[in-house]
Amino acid sequence: GQQVMQIPQYQHVQEGEDFTTYCNSSTTLSNIQWYKQRPGGHPVFLIQLVKSGEVKKQKRLTFQFGEAKKNSSLHITATQTTDVGTYFCAGHPGGKLIFGQGTELSVKP
Amino acid sequence: DTAVSQTPKYLVTQMGNDKSIKCEQNLGHDTMYWYKQDSKKFLKIMFSYNNKELIINETVPNRFSPKSPDKAHLNLHINSLELGDSAVYFCASSPRLAEGTDTQYFGPGTRLTVL
């Protein structure tokens, strides 16, 4: 079936280091959404990217949508302990929203 | 005011029992969903309702029966609970089902443990 693949599954960083998670689809996505789930919490919408090559920033977070609209990335600059959680991408390879497996980020102070 | 609420937050029950989870949204959204999140945090859609009409039913065992009395409510009833049903169940809503308008607003989740 249609899948949205996300890597890595886990990432452990030292506070202050950068972090990136990648999302890939075998088919073109009409748009991609990113969510963050804090430990014990629920997924919370962060952003949606629609245009080919689009780049959006939210403070230390940078979101990119690939030129072919098949991949996306989330980059966090200078991680803080408040960044811990699982980051999910979710895309539309055709008709319905499909979530990636998520990347669990832990930050060591 | 909580936008998407679920009850109960925790549910511990024996194998073979029947249980229900309730969900309500006060966002005025047209579409509601049920997701299952397993121990590896994988989020899998189970059902989607648009204005009380079932739209998505993702190969879920027929022991799971959703019911939407109105577009603000989507309940999930589970018959004959099995060990593998243990998971966190999230309710979500979105303004509409169409691509680009389906930003998901999740409820706090219901942690179901089947013993």
Side-chain angles (χ1 to χ4, degrees), chain B residues 59-99:
Chain B
T59 58
V60 177
N62 58 15
R63 297 182 295 106
F64 291 79
S65 51
K67 187 168 281 189
S68 182
D70 55 63
K71 76 173 193 176
H73 296 84
L74 179 62
N75 304 323
L76 183 65
H77 187 76
I78 315 171
N79 287 327
S80 303
L81 278 155
E82 300 177 357
L83 293 176
D85 297 332
S86 295
V88 180
Y89 292 84
F90 285 104
C91 176
S93 71
S94 68
R96 282 181 296 283
L97 190 60
E99 294 178 21

Side-chain angles (χ1 to χ4, degrees), chain A residues 2 15 28-29 52-53 56 60 68 79 84 90 93 99 104 106:
Chain A
Q2 294 163 332
E15 190 172 23
T28 302
L29 302 170
S52 168
K56 287 189 177 180
R60 295 177 294 102
T79 54
V84 298
F99 280 80
E104 186 175 338
S106 63

Side-chain angles (χ1 to χ4, degrees), chain A residues 75-92:
Chain A
H75 179 83
I76 303 178
T77 304
T79 54
Q80 300 175 359
T81 54
T82 52
D83 295 326
V84 298
T86 301
Y87 292 85
F88 293 95
C89 63
H92 282 281

Side-chain angles (χ1 to χ4, degrees), chain B residues 48-68:
Chain B
S48 165
Y49 269 74
N50 189 58
N51 232 333
K52 301 193 298 175
E53 184 183 345
L54 180 65
I55 301 297
I56 295 173
N57 182 343
E58 285 289 310
T59 58
V60 177
N62 58 15
R63 297 182 295 106
F64 291 79
S65 51
K67 187 168 281 189
S68 182

Side-chain angles (χ1 to χ4, degrees), chain A residues 6-80:
Chain A
Q6 193 174 349
I7 57 169
Q9 190 175 357
Y10 302 97
Q11 185 80 57
H12 309 283
V13 300
Q14 192 77 35
E15 190 172 23
E17 290 180 342
D18 292 355
F19 158 77
T20 305
T21 174
Y22 301 90
C23 193
N24 291 284
S25 170
S26 57
T27 57
T28 302
L29 302 170
S30 59
N31 62 69
I32 194 145
Q33 302 176 22
W34 285 92
Y35 293 78
K36 176 183 178 182
Q37 183 178 15
R38 294 182 186 274
H42 58 278
V44 174
F45 174 76
L46 294 176
I47 208 159
Q48 177 172 278
L49 304 171
V50 179
K51 299 176 184 175
S52 168
E54 189 170 12
V55 178
K56 287 189 177 180
K57 291 192 176 186
Q58 288 180 351
K59 296 183 181 178
R60 295 177 294 102
L61 277 60
T62 301
F63 304 84
Q64 290 188 318
F65 201 9
E67 293 289 342
K69 300 183 76 174
K70 288 185 176 183
N71 60 292
S72 181
S73 65
L74 158 59
H75 179 83
I76 303 178
T77 304
T79 54
Q80 300 175 359

